[in-house]
Amino acid sequence: MLRTLVRPALSTVSKSASTISGFKSGTKYGGKTTVTLIPGDGVGPEIAESVTTLFKEMSVPVEFETIDLTKYTLNDEGAFNNAITSLKRNGVGLKGVLNRSGDFRTHNVEFRGDLDTYANVVRCMSFEGVKTHHSGIDLIAIRENTEGEYSCLEHESVSGVVECLKVITREKSMRIAKFAFDYALEHNRKKVTCIHKANIMKLSDGLFKSCCAETAKLYPSIDYDEQIVDNTCQQLVINPQQFDVMVMPNLVRNRCIQPWSWFSGRSWSGAQQELRRRHRCI
């Protein structure tokens, strides 16, 4: 009975991408791969329990190393460090969202920084037999995961005045652009679209866009185009089939993919994969 639950009946899902080139498999003991499991908060523990139950019933050769890290233990730096050590040792992990309030950098962001999981990859696709407004959807959204607005670089310069810093660098923009084109090449994708707001943020998003365009010249077999995020949101509603692989700065992905997911008949609950060449956190 449990085997029939592997493919959920959702209209559109965000599926984690395949293993990227250069990724080393996790730690193995006795023929099993050890995977870090951080259930986190909210629905995380319930999902984690379902995953472990399914893996057990299907005899999947995976041994979970569970780390108790929640909003109640976030102030314990030892618990956070144990989680980082486990992920570095195993190379792959399943992590739920960690809820945290306060005026400081969240542990979700700290995970990305400490592990340098610079590429957030989400696959959105239709399921055959599930009727929605659009069908035949299969697109990949890739965002730079360590810079931009989600870096949490903000401060109150004077009382009542808050500044938020958006940092974009050539080094990391070139890195994510190369990742997107490599992903397209390795997964037989035909086109990469750079999503940006360079019409307003001419320096920051302008740099990101120019890095993507420069990288595109190294991949002549892959089509390349650019879209302002405002237009992208509209096009995702009108004609989402035009997109294949989308690459974008940090905040932009949330602005276009999340509303489109809701429009397509599902909540934002699909799996995401945060990648670097050595560590993978789903």
Side-chain angles (χ1 to χ4, degrees):
M1 177 64 70
L2 284 173
R3 293 178 183 271
T4 64
L5 300 177
V6 175
R7 186 172 177 175
L10 293 177
S11 58
T12 311
V13 297
S14 304
K15 293 185 67 178
S16 56
S18 302
T19 302
I20 62 174
S21 174
F23 172 73
K24 299 177 182 178
S25 59
T27 306
K28 290 188 176 182
Y29 299 102
K32 292 187 176 181
T33 299
T34 303
V35 175
T36 302
L37 177 62
I38 306 173
D41 298 306
V43 298
E46 181 180 351
I47 295 175
E49 182 180 1
S50 297
V51 169
T52 54
T53 299
L54 284 169
F55 275 42
K56 180 179 179 181
E57 292 296 327
M58 298 181 69
S59 300
V60 178
V62 165
E63 188 77 29
F64 287 106
E65 180 182 354
T66 303
I67 305 296
D68 182 24
L69 188 64
T70 69
K71 61 183 178 182
Y72 302 109
T73 61
L74 284 179
N75 290 327
D76 182 0
E77 287 302 318
F80 176 75
N81 291 335
N82 287 340
I84 293 294
T85 300
S86 174
L87 286 166
K88 288 182 176 180
R89 178 175 61 249
N90 297 327
V92 59
L94 294 172
K95 173 186 158 300
V97 173
L98 298 172
N99 295 333
R100 188 172 189 175
S101 60
D103 300 327
F104 36 76
R105 204 163 180 248
T106 70
H107 270 44
N108 295 305
V109 174
E110 289 178 350
F111 267 111
R112 299 168 190 168
D114 286 11
L115 298 174
D116 194 28
T117 50
Y118 62 89
N120 179 282
V121 181
V122 175
R123 183 179 184 183
C124 299
M125 61 183 295
S126 304
F127 269 154
E128 183 180 352
V130 180
K131 186 177 180 180
T132 59
H133 185 75
H134 290 293
S135 60
I137 308 300
D138 188 3
L139 63 88
I140 302 293
I142 298 174
R143 78 173 180 187
E144 206 296 316
N145 215 30
T146 60
E147 293 190 318
E149 294 87 346
Y150 272 31
S151 298
C152 299
L153 299 175
E154 55 182 359
H155 62 274
E156 188 173 26
S157 53
V158 296
S159 180
V161 179
V162 175
E163 293 180 321
C164 178
L165 303 179
K166 175 177 179 175
V167 177
I168 299 290
T169 65
R170 174 178 170 80
E171 177 186 359
K172 293 189 177 182
S173 295
M174 291 295 288
R175 181 172 67 168
I176 195 65
K178 184 179 186 302
F179 178 94
F181 279 93
D182 283 345
Y183 185 97
L185 201 62
E186 293 168 10
H187 294 82
N188 297 316
R189 298 280 176 161
K190 305 303 182 184
K191 183 175 72 171
V192 172
T193 303
C194 172
I195 313 300
H196 62 87
K197 191 61 178 174
N199 59 318
I200 300 299
M201 291 174 278
K202 299 183 183 300
L203 294 179
S204 57
D205 277 35
L207 173 61
F208 185 88
K209 181 167 71 77
S210 65
C211 288
C212 290
E214 180 179 341
T215 304
K217 296 176 182 178
L218 304 176
Y219 298 81
S221 63
I222 300 175
D223 294 334
Y224 172 74
D225 65 354
E226 301 166 349
Q227 274 193 17
I228 297 173
V229 63
D230 310 59
N231 183 35
T232 302
C233 291
Q234 182 183 36
Q235 294 303 316
L236 281 168
V237 173
I238 298 173
N239 181 26
Q241 292 87 351
Q242 68 183 281
F243 297 105
D244 194 355
V245 175
M246 307 161 69
V247 60
M248 60 206 76
N250 211 321
L251 185 62
V252 169
R253 204 287 309 276
N254 287 0
R255 292 175 59 187
C256 56
I257 295 299
Q258 285 184 241
W260 180 78
S261 299
W262 299 327
F263 174 80
S264 300
R266 58 171 291 279
S267 63
W268 185 244
S269 58
Q272 305 174 56
Q273 198 172 48
E274 298 186 353
L275 304 168
R276 60 162 292 176
R277 291 294 173 181
R278 176 62 184 90
H279 305 115
R280 180 169 59 169
C281 189
I282 302 174

